[in-house]
């Protein structure tokens, strides 16, 4: 019988469940004790793909060696044992009965007495965990004919590999606004224009027969004044507002290339074979 100290050793180390011929069956997962006696009754071994599933092994004939526990069963026997997700940390009566039958042991779940000699009482309807799984196709020898789920309820004969696919599109958003604004500025403009003015000229001419009559038309000695009007050009500036051009706003679509980089996740599946090297499953599609 395995002692409490040995239980603590098994749970504190990185121990394994080994077969009767000393080969590793799987790493130690949990140890289940009898609710009435507190004695260790079952140990779970991680036997599923990548250690994802746990198989129950009875401890009634087990021995402890270091951090390992050795049981008188083969790895195939343990892997083919009925499974339970034991999410509540308990095994139901039906689950224990199925395990006893698988290992060819006497079923003691219905005739054991508690510490006080009274027959055990089981709540058949208590929610202590789901029923034993492992309902997959078997041959006449009881060995499975195809792969099955060892990590929980047997739901499929294959794994589904999923991956994220990157989908890139565009969404039109408002990038800003453009506007025309008219305002007035003042500039200096220089033009050159011709201007003219009158200047006084004095002409002297001698008395001739031709102008003698005009010269003697007045008195002999008189006082007179003569004048002439002088003219000049003044520069006149006039401004007129005239339209010179039309300006309006519009849009033009320009297309350019933009590179997007994003992380995508994908599931990878690898296989484990006790007789061959572990490797990746080729997921390339034809």
């Amino acid at each position: 019988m395995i002692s409490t100290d040995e239980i603590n050793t098994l749970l504190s180390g990185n121990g394994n469940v080994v077969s009767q011929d000393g080969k590793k069956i799987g790493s130690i997962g949990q140890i289940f004790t009898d609710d009435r006696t507190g004695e260790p009754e079952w140990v779970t071994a991680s036997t599923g793909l990548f250690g994802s599933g746990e198989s129950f092994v009875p401890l009634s004939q087990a021995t402890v060696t270091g951090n390992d526990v050795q049981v008188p069963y083969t790895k195939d026997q343990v892997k083919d044992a009925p499974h339970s997700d034991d999410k509540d940390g308990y095994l139901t009566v039906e689950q224990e009965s199925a395990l006893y039958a698988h290992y060819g042991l006497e079923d003691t779940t219905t005739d054991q007495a508690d510490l006080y000699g009274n027959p055990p009482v089981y709540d058949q309807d208590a929610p202590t965990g789901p029923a034993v799984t492992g309902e997959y196709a078997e041959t006449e020898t009881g060995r499975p004919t195809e792969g099955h789920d060892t990590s929980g309820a047997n739901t499929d004969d294959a794994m589904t590999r999923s991956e994220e696919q990157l989908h890139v599109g565009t969404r039109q958003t408002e990038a800003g606004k453009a506007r025309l604004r008219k305002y007035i500025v003042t500039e200096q403009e220089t033009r050159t224009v011709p201007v003219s003015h009158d200047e006084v000229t004095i002409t002297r001419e001698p008395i001739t027969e031709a102008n003698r009559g005009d010269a003697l038309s007045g008195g002999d000695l008189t006082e007179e004044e003569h004048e002439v009007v002088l003219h000049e050009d003044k520069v006149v500036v006039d401004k007129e507002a005239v339209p010179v051009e039309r300006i309006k706003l519009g849009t033009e679509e320009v297309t350019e290339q933009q590179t997007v980089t994003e992380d995508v996740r994908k599931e990878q599946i690898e296989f484990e074979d006790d007789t061959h090297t572990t490797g990746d499953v080729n997921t390339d599609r034809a």
Side-chain angles (χ1 to χ4, degrees), residues 7 24 29 42 48 51 56 65-66 87 95-96 105-106 119 127 134-135 152 161 180 194 206 212 254 279:
I7 292 178
K24 176 184 175 181
W42 302 94
F56 284 81
T65 303
K87 65 180 180 180
Q95 291 172 327
E96 282 197 280
L105 300 175
E106 181 182 357
E135 299 173 354
R161 192 185 70 84
L180 289 176
R212 183 179 294 276
V254 179

PDB file of all heavy atoms in Angstrom, residues 7 24 29 42 48 51 56 65-66 87 95-96 105-106 119 127 134-135 152 161 180 194 206 212 254 279:
ATOM      1  N   ILE A   7       2.891   9.604  -1.423  1.00  0.00           N
ATOM      2  CA  ILE A   7       2.012  10.429  -2.269  1.00  0.00           C
ATOM      3  C   ILE A   7       2.603  11.818  -2.438  1.00  0.00           C
ATOM      4  O   ILE A   7       2.673  12.370  -3.549  1.00  0.00           O
ATOM      5  CB  ILE A   7       0.595  10.515  -1.667  1.00  0.00           C
ATOM      6  CG1 ILE A   7      -0.092   9.152  -1.736  1.00  0.00           C
ATOM      7  CG2 ILE A   7      -0.233  11.562  -2.406  1.00  0.00           C
ATOM      8  CD1 ILE A   7      -1.467   9.148  -1.113  1.00  0.00           C
ATOM      9  N   LYS A  24       8.058   3.848 -19.640  1.00  0.00           N
ATOM     10  CA  LYS A  24       7.210   4.985 -19.264  1.00  0.00           C
ATOM     11  C   LYS A  24       5.848   4.895 -19.937  1.00  0.00           C
ATOM     12  O   LYS A  24       5.741   4.695 -21.145  1.00  0.00           O
ATOM     13  CB  LYS A  24       7.894   6.300 -19.654  1.00  0.00           C
ATOM     14  CG  LYS A  24       7.033   7.530 -19.376  1.00  0.00           C
ATOM     15  CD  LYS A  24       7.721   8.799 -19.862  1.00  0.00           C
ATOM     16  CE  LYS A  24       6.810   9.999 -19.708  1.00  0.00           C
ATOM     17  NZ  LYS A  24       7.433  11.249 -20.185  1.00  0.00           N
ATOM     18  N   GLY A  29      -0.177  12.701 -13.186  1.00  0.00           N
ATOM     19  CA  GLY A  29      -1.047  13.870 -13.185  1.00  0.00           C
ATOM     20  C   GLY A  29      -1.640  14.136 -11.814  1.00  0.00           C
ATOM     21  O   GLY A  29      -1.255  15.059 -11.115  1.00  0.00           O
ATOM     22  N   TRP A  42      -6.312   5.755  -7.007  1.00  0.00           N
ATOM     23  CA  TRP A  42      -6.086   5.892  -8.448  1.00  0.00           C
ATOM     24  C   TRP A  42      -4.997   6.930  -8.696  1.00  0.00           C
ATOM     25  O   TRP A  42      -4.861   7.894  -7.942  1.00  0.00           O
ATOM     26  CB  TRP A  42      -7.361   6.329  -9.184  1.00  0.00           C
ATOM     27  CG  TRP A  42      -8.523   5.412  -9.019  1.00  0.00           C
ATOM     28  CD1 TRP A  42      -9.523   5.499  -8.104  1.00  0.00           C
ATOM     29  CD2 TRP A  42      -8.789   4.243  -9.794  1.00  0.00           C
ATOM     30  NE1 TRP A  42     -10.416   4.473  -8.242  1.00  0.00           N
ATOM     31  CE2 TRP A  42      -9.993   3.673  -9.300  1.00  0.00           C
ATOM     32  CE3 TRP A  42      -8.162   3.609 -10.870  1.00  0.00           C
ATOM     33  CZ2 TRP A  42     -10.551   2.532  -9.818  1.00  0.00           C
ATOM     34  CZ3 TRP A  42      -8.722   2.460 -11.400  1.00  0.00           C
ATOM     35  CH2 TRP A  42      -9.897   1.922 -10.880  1.00  0.00           C
ATOM     36  N   GLY A  48      -2.240  11.058 -23.490  1.00  0.00           N
ATOM     37  CA  GLY A  48      -2.772  11.566 -24.749  1.00  0.00           C
ATOM     38  C   GLY A  48      -1.699  12.208 -25.599  1.00  0.00           C
ATOM     39  O   GLY A  48      -0.531  12.305 -25.217  1.00  0.00           O
ATOM     40  N   GLY A  51       0.576  14.795 -24.183  1.00  0.00           N
ATOM     41  CA  GLY A  51       0.219  14.810 -22.772  1.00  0.00           C
ATOM     42  C   GLY A  51      -1.099  15.479 -22.480  1.00  0.00           C
ATOM     43  O   GLY A  51      -1.338  15.943 -21.369  1.00  0.00           O
ATOM     44  N   PHE A  56      -6.690   6.741 -16.076  1.00  0.00           N
ATOM     45  CA  PHE A  56      -6.710   6.300 -14.686  1.00  0.00           C
ATOM     46  C   PHE A  56      -6.066   4.927 -14.546  1.00  0.00           C
ATOM     47  O   PHE A  56      -6.326   4.018 -15.342  1.00  0.00           O
ATOM     48  CB  PHE A  56      -8.148   6.255 -14.166  1.00  0.00           C
ATOM     49  CG  PHE A  56      -8.710   7.610 -13.856  1.00  0.00           C
ATOM     50  CD1 PHE A  56      -9.213   8.425 -14.857  1.00  0.00           C
ATOM     51  CD2 PHE A  56      -8.721   8.092 -12.562  1.00  0.00           C
ATOM     52  CE1 PHE A  56      -9.724   9.671 -14.587  1.00  0.00           C
ATOM     53  CE2 PHE A  56      -9.237   9.336 -12.276  1.00  0.00           C
ATOM     54  CZ  PHE A  56      -9.733  10.132 -13.285  1.00  0.00           C
ATOM     55  N   THR A  65       9.093   3.887  -6.783  1.00  0.00           N
ATOM     56  CA  THR A  65      10.543   3.849  -6.938  1.00  0.00           C
ATOM     57  C   THR A  65      11.016   5.264  -7.228  1.00  0.00           C
ATOM     58  O   THR A  65      10.840   5.782  -8.343  1.00  0.00           O
ATOM     59  CB  THR A  65      10.963   2.910  -8.074  1.00  0.00           C
ATOM     60  OG1 THR A  65      10.436   1.606  -7.831  1.00  0.00           O
ATOM     61  CG2 THR A  65      12.470   2.835  -8.176  1.00  0.00           C
ATOM     62  N   GLY A  66      11.604   5.887  -6.205  1.00  0.00           N
ATOM     63  CA  GLY A  66      12.008   7.284  -6.388  1.00  0.00           C
ATOM     64  C   GLY A  66      10.797   8.166  -6.579  1.00  0.00           C
ATOM     65  O   GLY A  66       9.890   8.192  -5.732  1.00  0.00           O
ATOM     66  N   LYS A  87     -13.577  16.880 -13.812  1.00  0.00           N
ATOM     67  CA  LYS A  87     -13.468  18.318 -13.579  1.00  0.00           C
ATOM     68  C   LYS A  87     -13.769  18.709 -12.138  1.00  0.00           C
ATOM     69  O   LYS A  87     -13.316  19.742 -11.651  1.00  0.00           O
ATOM     70  CB  LYS A  87     -14.398  19.085 -14.530  1.00  0.00           C
ATOM     71  CG  LYS A  87     -15.879  18.804 -14.297  1.00  0.00           C
ATOM     72  CD  LYS A  87     -16.726  19.596 -15.282  1.00  0.00           C
ATOM     73  CE  LYS A  87     -18.211  19.304 -15.052  1.00  0.00           C
ATOM     74  NZ  LYS A  87     -19.073  20.057 -15.980  1.00  0.00           N
ATOM     75  N   GLN A  95     -18.222   5.317 -13.009  1.00  0.00           N
ATOM     76  CA  GLN A  95     -16.888   5.481 -13.589  1.00  0.00           C
ATOM     77  C   GLN A  95     -15.887   4.518 -12.952  1.00  0.00           C
ATOM     78  O   GLN A  95     -15.086   3.890 -13.647  1.00  0.00           O
ATOM     79  CB  GLN A  95     -16.418   6.929 -13.399  1.00  0.00           C
ATOM     80  CG  GLN A  95     -17.193   7.928 -14.243  1.00  0.00           C
ATOM     81  CD  GLN A  95     -16.859   9.358 -13.898  1.00  0.00           C
ATOM     82  OE1 GLN A  95     -16.569   9.684 -12.746  1.00  0.00           O
ATOM     83  NE2 GLN A  95     -16.911  10.238 -14.888  1.00  0.00           N
ATOM     84  N   GLU A  96     -15.944   4.372 -11.631  1.00  0.00           N
ATOM     85  CA  GLU A  96     -15.033   3.435 -10.977  1.00  0.00           C
ATOM     86  C   GLU A  96     -15.323   1.997 -11.388  1.00  0.00           C
ATOM     87  O   GLU A  96     -14.408   1.197 -11.589  1.00  0.00           O
ATOM     88  CB  GLU A  96     -15.146   3.585  -9.458  1.00  0.00           C
ATOM     89  CG  GLU A  96     -14.419   4.797  -8.908  1.00  0.00           C
ATOM     90  CD  GLU A  96     -14.193   4.695  -7.413  1.00  0.00           C
ATOM     91  OE1 GLU A  96     -15.143   4.973  -6.661  1.00  0.00           O
ATOM     92  OE2 GLU A  96     -13.076   4.320  -7.017  1.00  0.00           O
ATOM     93  N   LEU A 105     -10.233  -6.101 -12.199  1.00  0.00           N
ATOM     94  CA  LEU A 105     -10.182  -6.111 -10.748  1.00  0.00           C
ATOM     95  C   LEU A 105     -11.577  -6.256 -10.172  1.00  0.00           C
ATOM     96  O   LEU A 105     -12.582  -5.954 -10.831  1.00  0.00           O
ATOM     97  CB  LEU A 105      -9.540  -4.810 -10.233  1.00  0.00           C
ATOM     98  CG  LEU A 105      -8.108  -4.532 -10.678  1.00  0.00           C
ATOM     99  CD1 LEU A 105      -7.667  -3.156 -10.186  1.00  0.00           C
ATOM    100  CD2 LEU A 105      -7.153  -5.610 -10.162  1.00  0.00           C
ATOM    101  N   GLU A 106     -11.644  -6.718  -8.923  1.00  0.00           N
ATOM    102  CA  GLU A 106     -12.913  -6.843  -8.242  1.00  0.00           C
ATOM    103  C   GLU A 106     -13.465  -5.459  -7.942  1.00  0.00           C
ATOM    104  O   GLU A 106     -12.760  -4.599  -7.411  1.00  0.00           O
ATOM    105  CB  GLU A 106     -12.743  -7.637  -6.945  1.00  0.00           C
ATOM    106  CG  GLU A 106     -14.057  -7.829  -6.177  1.00  0.00           C
ATOM    107  CD  GLU A 106     -13.848  -8.568  -4.872  1.00  0.00           C
ATOM    108  OE1 GLU A 106     -12.683  -8.965  -4.618  1.00  0.00           O
ATOM    109  OE2 GLU A 106     -14.815  -8.750  -4.127  1.00  0.00           O
ATOM    110  N   PRO A 119     -22.390   0.416   5.613  1.00  0.00           N
ATOM    111  CA  PRO A 119     -22.240   0.326   4.157  1.00  0.00           C
ATOM    112  C   PRO A 119     -22.151   1.713   3.559  1.00  0.00           C
ATOM    113  O   PRO A 119     -22.782   2.652   4.038  1.00  0.00           O
ATOM    114  CB  PRO A 119     -23.509  -0.410   3.709  1.00  0.00           C
ATOM    115  CG  PRO A 119     -24.504  -0.145   4.784  1.00  0.00           C
ATOM    116  CD  PRO A 119     -23.708  -0.083   6.062  1.00  0.00           C
ATOM    117  N   PRO A 127     -23.812  15.581  -8.883  1.00  0.00           N
ATOM    118  CA  PRO A 127     -23.036  16.066 -10.040  1.00  0.00           C
ATOM    119  C   PRO A 127     -21.547  16.003  -9.768  1.00  0.00           C
ATOM    120  O   PRO A 127     -20.884  17.007  -9.610  1.00  0.00           O
ATOM    121  CB  PRO A 127     -23.510  17.515 -10.186  1.00  0.00           C
ATOM    122  CG  PRO A 127     -23.863  17.925  -8.800  1.00  0.00           C
ATOM    123  CD  PRO A 127     -24.417  16.690  -8.130  1.00  0.00           C
ATOM    124  N   GLY A 134     -14.884   7.384 -24.057  1.00  0.00           N
ATOM    125  CA  GLY A 134     -14.144   6.301 -24.699  1.00  0.00           C
ATOM    126  C   GLY A 134     -15.047   5.458 -25.556  1.00  0.00           C
ATOM    127  O   GLY A 134     -14.755   4.284 -25.821  1.00  0.00           O
ATOM    128  N   GLU A 135     -16.178   6.006 -26.002  1.00  0.00           N
ATOM    129  CA  GLU A 135     -17.105   5.245 -26.823  1.00  0.00           C
ATOM    130  C   GLU A 135     -16.722   5.382 -28.285  1.00  0.00           C
ATOM    131  O   GLU A 135     -17.313   6.127 -29.051  1.00  0.00           O
ATOM    132  CB  GLU A 135     -18.524   5.757 -26.592  1.00  0.00           C
ATOM    133  CG  GLU A 135     -18.968   5.603 -25.156  1.00  0.00           C
ATOM    134  CD  GLU A 135     -20.299   6.277 -24.906  1.00  0.00           C
ATOM    135  OE1 GLU A 135     -20.780   6.949 -25.836  1.00  0.00           O
ATOM    136  OE2 GLU A 135     -20.831   6.138 -23.819  1.00  0.00           O
ATOM    137  N   GLY A 152     -10.700  14.420 -23.549  1.00  0.00           N
ATOM    138  CA  GLY A 152     -12.020  14.702 -22.997  1.00  0.00           C
ATOM    139  C   GLY A 152     -13.021  13.770 -23.639  1.00  0.00           C
ATOM    140  O   GLY A 152     -12.718  12.612 -23.940  1.00  0.00           O
ATOM    141  N   ARG A 161      -7.541  21.547 -37.808  1.00  0.00           N
ATOM    142  CA  ARG A 161      -6.525  22.588 -37.723  1.00  0.00           C
ATOM    143  C   ARG A 161      -7.091  23.883 -38.302  1.00  0.00           C
ATOM    144  O   ARG A 161      -7.593  23.902 -39.417  1.00  0.00           O
ATOM    145  CB  ARG A 161      -5.262  22.188 -38.487  1.00  0.00           C
ATOM    146  CG  ARG A 161      -4.068  23.095 -38.208  1.00  0.00           C
ATOM    147  CD  ARG A 161      -2.874  22.742 -39.083  1.00  0.00           C
ATOM    148  NE  ARG A 161      -3.114  23.093 -40.475  1.00  0.00           N
ATOM    149  CZ  ARG A 161      -2.914  24.312 -40.968  1.00  0.00           C
ATOM    150  NH1 ARG A 161      -2.456  25.280 -40.198  1.00  0.00           N
ATOM    151  NH2 ARG A 161      -3.167  24.568 -42.235  1.00  0.00           N
ATOM    152  N   LEU A 180     -11.515  77.746 -51.074  1.00  0.00           N
ATOM    153  CA  LEU A 180     -11.036  78.955 -51.739  1.00  0.00           C
ATOM    154  C   LEU A 180     -11.443  80.159 -50.906  1.00  0.00           C
ATOM    155  O   LEU A 180     -12.579  80.242 -50.434  1.00  0.00           O
ATOM    156  CB  LEU A 180     -11.626  79.081 -53.145  1.00  0.00           C
ATOM    157  CG  LEU A 180     -11.122  78.092 -54.210  1.00  0.00           C
ATOM    158  CD1 LEU A 180     -11.886  78.320 -55.505  1.00  0.00           C
ATOM    159  CD2 LEU A 180      -9.636  78.283 -54.444  1.00  0.00           C
ATOM    160  N   PRO A 194       2.579 110.546 -72.007  1.00  0.00           N
ATOM    161  CA  PRO A 194       3.081 111.851 -72.481  1.00  0.00           C
ATOM    162  C   PRO A 194       2.142 112.992 -72.036  1.00  0.00           C
ATOM    163  O   PRO A 194       0.926 112.858 -72.090  1.00  0.00           O
ATOM    164  CB  PRO A 194       3.070 111.694 -74.001  1.00  0.00           C
ATOM    165  CG  PRO A 194       2.029 110.657 -74.268  1.00  0.00           C
ATOM    166  CD  PRO A 194       2.010 109.726 -73.097  1.00  0.00           C
ATOM    167  N   PRO A 206      10.225 142.852 -88.940  1.00  0.00           N
ATOM    168  CA  PRO A 206      10.386 144.261 -89.387  1.00  0.00           C
ATOM    169  C   PRO A 206       9.101 144.754 -90.086  1.00  0.00           C
ATOM    170  O   PRO A 206       8.288 143.955 -90.524  1.00  0.00           O
ATOM    171  CB  PRO A 206      11.566 144.162 -90.353  1.00  0.00           C
ATOM    172  CG  PRO A 206      11.554 142.757 -90.847  1.00  0.00           C
ATOM    173  CD  PRO A 206      11.014 141.942 -89.743  1.00  0.00           C
ATOM    174  N   ARG A 212       2.612 147.002 -93.060  1.00  0.00           N
ATOM    175  CA  ARG A 212       2.598 148.433 -92.719  1.00  0.00           C
ATOM    176  C   ARG A 212       1.197 148.872 -92.310  1.00  0.00           C
ATOM    177  O   ARG A 212       1.014 149.682 -91.397  1.00  0.00           O
ATOM    178  CB  ARG A 212       3.116 149.265 -93.891  1.00  0.00           C
ATOM    179  CG  ARG A 212       3.217 150.793 -93.597  1.00  0.00           C
ATOM    180  CD  ARG A 212       3.769 151.520 -94.813  1.00  0.00           C
ATOM    181  NE  ARG A 212       5.155 151.114 -95.057  1.00  0.00           N
ATOM    182  CZ  ARG A 212       6.201 151.630 -94.463  1.00  0.00           C
ATOM    183  NH1 ARG A 212       6.030 152.611 -93.558  1.00  0.00           N
ATOM    184  NH2 ARG A 212       7.403 151.229 -94.748  1.00  0.00           N
ATOM    185  N   VAL A 254      -6.728  59.872 -56.746  1.00  0.00           N
ATOM    186  CA  VAL A 254      -5.388  59.378 -57.035  1.00  0.00           C
ATOM    187  C   VAL A 254      -5.195  58.068 -56.284  1.00  0.00           C
ATOM    188  O   VAL A 254      -5.436  57.988 -55.082  1.00  0.00           O
ATOM    189  CB  VAL A 254      -4.311  60.403 -56.599  1.00  0.00           C
ATOM    190  CG1 VAL A 254      -2.917  59.854 -56.874  1.00  0.00           C
ATOM    191  CG2 VAL A 254      -4.517  61.729 -57.324  1.00  0.00           C
ATOM    192  N   GLY A 279       7.446  14.520 -34.807  1.00  0.00           N
ATOM    193  CA  GLY A 279       7.639  15.511 -35.875  1.00  0.00           C
ATOM    194  C   GLY A 279       6.367  16.261 -36.150  1.00  0.00           C
ATOM    195  O   GLY A 279       5.318  16.021 -35.547  1.00  0.00           O
TER     196      GLY A 279
END
